[in-house]
Amino acid sequence: MIAIWNQPWFALAVTIAVGLPVLLVILTEVLAFLVRRGHPAAKPVRLLRNLVLPVGALLGLLSLANHQNVEFTWVRVVATLFGFLVILLLLSSVNVVLFGNPEEGSWRERLPSIFIDLARLGLILVGLALLFSWVWDADIGGLITALGVTSIVIGLALQTAVGSIISGLLLLFEQPFKLGDWLDTGKVVGRVVGVNWRAVHIDTGNGIQIVPNATLAGASFTNLSEAPGSFMATSTVKFSTDDPPHQVIDLMQKVASGLPMRTPGESIEASYAGAATYSISIPVSGPAAEAGASALFLAWLWYAARREGLALDGDTTDPIAEPERLAEALAYVTTVLRLGPGDFSWMTERCRLERYGHGEMVLPARRIPDAFRLVLDGHVQLSVPTLVGPVNVERLERGDVFGLLSLSREVEQTAATAEGTITVMRIPADVVDRLIVEHPALARAMGQSIEARQKSVALALASTLGIEGAAGSL
């Protein structure tokens, strides 16, 4: 009688009985570790533990029970299932190795998922064909030939549609643009809002333009969002031939530098093209800010040109520059300053009315004010720029004065910004000096106003930033 341990099936049976539980315990611990780390290898390990090993063990036991008879139907069924699971395990492992943690900007990151899915499907079909040929002795040569002929016929019938899909796949693989980028195709300019296998959806501002992938793949286009450096918002304006070009260029650059959508640190390019025509290029964050930057620049330039006496579009007329309005404003100023009766006609030649558009910087912060300004119409917001953003201090109304430190020629910490369209009276510092000499009480009133303004600044900073962090954030 032959001992049981000498039987040919004994070693395999012991291996399955002892090795399978041990491997399952080890894989369970490994899987828990990978799940905690969020590692992509957790998926193939889970497949190996839950399916591949149990089905492999079942295949081994069935083979032993059938005395290695691979012709037995149940053995073939389980062998087919086991082979399919092994194919899935191999594909999952390759996917983790190649695409688990792709480097930023590498081909593995840019490869569209559709390519990976198609390659996986093709490998599964090839693996299943080989598996059926090995396990079931199937003749797959005729099937491959039939599929090849069928694919050729279908490809010829759907040549146009397939060509568009292939173009879309190539665009997805190359990724010359992404969602949110601005494209200029020569006929369409807009922002990419959708990309699929067939077409690209571009928002032109007047609707969604559908551009076939084949059209983009077969022609050149410009990705405006990938331009080197900042995107430039360009504008062309005309002045009068009597306006000095350098003065006009300085004014244009000054206006453009105050635009909120301008890219900080980038230079503004302005030039004279002759015939009273000027062009300017303003660096902005991207094409989306171009229209807003150009519109706001032209609006602010209208006010700035009239303040400087320059003829934008050949027109120098300014409704607020009428002598009657200036005389009326001076009468109001003398009342606000409590100057009393007297002859103030000499102020007419020194003072002037100014208008500012919404959002314009009337007085920059951390500079010595060039003059006093008294609000006649609209509102002015005083704020202090800090490392965490501007802190609002006070909202000035009709009759309020700012730029008070021009009297002592000290640096003003607050910035004054127009809220809506405003009108102010500009009073030079030497005019105030003369008024103080003639009216000493004005000096005391201005000193009190300066102290009150400084207290307002300190209180706003303390309430917003905290008393300790206020000084360090300026």
Side-chain angles (χ1 to χ4, degrees):
M1 182 176 181
I2 302 175
I4 188 172
W5 52 81
N6 291 328
Q7 297 294 326
W9 49 266
F10 181 76
L12 181 59
V14 171
T15 301
I16 294 175
V18 177
L20 180 62
V22 172
L23 284 177
L24 291 179
V25 171
I26 295 175
L27 290 177
T28 299
E29 295 299 325
V30 173
L31 178 61
F33 173 77
L34 294 176
V35 170
R36 288 195 299 270
R37 296 285 299 273
H39 199 280
K43 184 176 180 180
V45 171
R46 181 181 288 108
L47 178 63
L48 176 63
R49 185 199 66 171
N50 294 344
L51 294 175
V52 176
L53 285 181
V55 174
L58 177 61
L59 176 61
L61 293 175
L62 289 176
S63 298
L64 290 175
N66 199 47
H67 303 290
Q68 309 294 335
N69 184 9
V70 296
E71 299 294 335
F72 188 58
T73 303
W74 278 109
V75 176
R76 289 187 173 187
V77 172
V78 176
T80 303
L81 178 60
F82 178 71
F84 179 71
L85 292 175
V86 170
I87 292 173
L88 293 182
L89 177 62
L90 293 176
L91 290 176
S92 180
S93 301
V94 171
N95 183 65
V96 170
V97 172
L98 292 181
F99 307 103
N101 292 299
E103 297 179 0
E104 185 176 357
S106 65
W107 67 271
R108 295 185 299 170
E109 182 188 40
R110 295 188 293 108
L111 186 66
S113 59
I114 182 62
F115 282 0
I116 302 174
D117 294 338
L118 290 176
R120 184 183 292 115
L121 177 61
L123 292 176
I124 289 176
L125 293 177
V126 172
L128 287 177
L130 296 176
L131 182 63
F132 274 91
S133 176
W134 171 58
V135 176
W136 299 92
D137 295 327
D139 181 13
I140 62 173
L143 178 61
I144 294 176
T145 302
L147 290 176
V149 174
T150 304
S151 63
I152 293 175
V153 174
I154 295 176
L156 292 175
L158 302 176
Q159 183 175 2
T160 302
V162 172
S164 181
I165 292 176
I166 295 299
S167 299
L169 293 177
L170 292 176
L171 285 176
L172 290 173
F173 177 72
E174 185 181 359
Q175 290 188 345
F177 55 82
K178 57 184 180 295
L179 290 179
D181 284 356
W182 284 70
L183 299 184
D184 182 359
T185 66
K187 296 181 180 179
V188 179
V189 177
R191 184 170 59 90
V192 178
V193 295
V195 181
N196 54 41
W197 292 6
R198 191 188 69 83
V200 175
H201 297 194
I202 300 178
D203 185 1
T204 63
N206 294 318
I208 304 298
Q209 183 80 25
I210 310 299
V211 182
N213 291 326
T215 302
L216 288 179
S220 62
F221 57 88
T222 303
N223 189 340
L224 301 177
S225 298
E226 297 294 334
S230 297
F231 185 84
M232 292 293 183
T234 60
S235 297
T236 302
V237 295
K238 291 182 68 67
F239 281 79
S240 169
T241 54
D242 296 331
D243 294 328
H246 287 90
Q247 185 178 354
V248 173
I249 290 175
D250 290 343
L251 178 66
M252 293 172 62
Q253 291 180 328
K254 179 181 177 181
V255 172
S257 64
L259 296 176
M261 61 282 292
R262 182 180 73 89
T263 302
E266 299 286 342
S267 61
I268 301 170
E269 301 175 1
S271 61
Y272 179 47
T277 302
Y278 299 82
S279 63
I280 188 169
S281 297
I282 307 168
V284 295
S285 57
E290 178 183 15
S294 297
L296 188 59
F297 168 75
L298 294 176
W300 284 5
L301 186 62
W302 186 92
Y303 294 101
R306 277 152 178 78
R307 291 196 300 268
E308 299 296 328
L310 300 175
L312 178 62
D313 296 324
D315 183 12
T316 58
T317 59
D318 189 359
I320 68 169
E322 298 175 357
E324 294 79 5
R325 296 198 60 174
L326 180 58
E328 180 182 350
L330 282 175
Y332 176 72
V333 169
T334 57
T335 302
V336 171
L337 298 181
R338 300 177 182 178
L339 300 179
D343 182 14
F344 300 100
S345 58
W346 58 273
M347 295 177 59
T348 304
E349 297 181 356
R350 303 301 314 281
C351 301
R352 72 169 187 262
L353 299 179
E354 296 178 335
R355 278 197 297 181
Y356 292 84
H358 176 69
E360 269 197 279
M361 185 74 68
V362 184
L363 179 63
R366 298 168 185 164
R367 293 186 186 178
I368 299 176
D370 59 345
F372 290 84
R373 285 179 173 84
L374 186 141
V375 181
L376 297 176
D377 293 309
H379 297 88
V380 175
Q381 179 65 57
L382 295 183
S383 61
V384 179
T386 68
L387 297 178
V388 295
V391 175
N392 291 336
V393 174
E394 188 176 352
R395 189 169 184 259
L396 306 182
E397 300 179 347
R398 175 178 169 84
D400 290 332
V401 180
F402 59 99
L404 296 171
L405 291 182
S406 62
L407 180 64
S408 57
R409 277 60 170 180
E410 296 180 65
V411 175
E412 185 78 64
Q413 293 297 324
T414 58
T417 307
E419 287 191 355
T421 301
I422 68 168
T423 304
V424 299
M425 168 71 79
R426 182 183 184 277
I427 309 173
D430 58 346
V431 172
V432 179
D433 291 340
R434 178 176 172 178
L435 291 175
I436 289 176
V437 172
E438 297 178 356
H439 304 272
L442 180 60
R444 293 191 298 271
M446 286 191 171
Q448 294 173 354
S449 299
I450 292 174
E451 291 180 2
R453 186 69 47 79
Q454 291 174 341
K455 290 181 180 179
S456 298
V457 171
L459 180 61
L461 291 175
S463 61
T464 304
L465 305 175
I467 297 178
E468 296 181 357
S473 300
L474 289 174

